[in-house]
Amino acid sequence: MEIIDGMSSSPPPTPQQIAEAERQLGDVRFPDDYRRWLLERNGAEGWFGESFLMLHSLGGVVEATQAAEAEERLPGLVAIGSDGSREIVAFDFRRSPPRVVLVDVTAEAWQDALPQAQSFTDFMAQRERGEPFVWERSEA
């Protein structure tokens, strides 16, 4: 996966730190493309056309997921970032492999989630092309 120039990032975690974060998040296993990205980048933020994207560092993923009270409200959600405002960028671990979704910080149920991409690679490719977030649910 191409890393986007101009985005700030944090020093990468070790594979052991990733495994510990996965354990803290309920024994999830991050998709391989996201694990590779963490090992290269570990968080980033920047503008893609009209869309701002903030991807959390590994520690931020654990903190944001816990802060979102995801286990109670949206079981299977792992918050990997945000749009810098009210929307959480997250993995939906109710399915395998987990897809990337956008969820308002006040969402109470999965029906409020807006699917964005089938994989982290696809999600980042959309950003690299400058595509906006999906703001309406597709009926397809």
Side-chain angles (χ1 to χ4, degrees), residues 45-118:
E45 61 181 61
W47 286 94
F48 300 90
E50 300 289 317
S51 299
F52 182 78
L53 174 63
M54 178 176 17
L55 293 171
H56 301 310
S57 66
L58 181 63
V61 169
V62 173
E63 290 171 15
T65 301
Q66 292 170 344
E69 299 175 343
E71 254 183 65
E72 296 81 25
R73 296 185 307 127
L74 299 160
L77 178 138
V78 172
I80 63 171
S82 80
D83 70 346
S85 184
R86 295 184 49 85
E87 302 298 323
I88 298 169
V89 176
F91 282 123
D92 176 359
F93 274 98
R94 295 175 305 153
R95 54 192 298 163
S96 181
R99 65 182 172 181
V100 179
V101 298
L102 206 58
V103 182
D104 185 273
V105 296
T106 62
E108 291 294 326
W110 274 109
Q111 68 192 27
D112 300 322
L114 296 169
Q116 299 295 306
Q118 294 301 313

Side-chain angles (χ1 to χ4, degrees), residues 3-17:
I3 299 300
I4 299 155
D5 292 331
M7 292 184 78
S8 60
S9 67
S10 301
T14 65
Q16 295 79 13
Q17 289 169 319

Side-chain angles (χ1 to χ4, degrees), residues 11-24:
T14 65
Q16 295 79 13
Q17 289 169 319
I18 292 173
E20 175 59 21
E22 291 170 326
R23 187 194 63 71
Q24 290 176 11

Side-chain angles (χ1 to χ4, degrees), residues 19 76 127 132:
R127 307 292 72 79

Side-chain angles (χ1 to χ4, degrees), residues 114-134:
L114 296 169
Q116 299 295 306
Q118 294 301 313
S119 71
F120 183 73
T121 298
D122 292 346
F123 178 75
M124 291 306 291
Q126 292 168 352
R127 307 292 72 79
E128 290 173 2
R129 291 190 300 265
E131 294 178 22
F133 294 119
V134 176

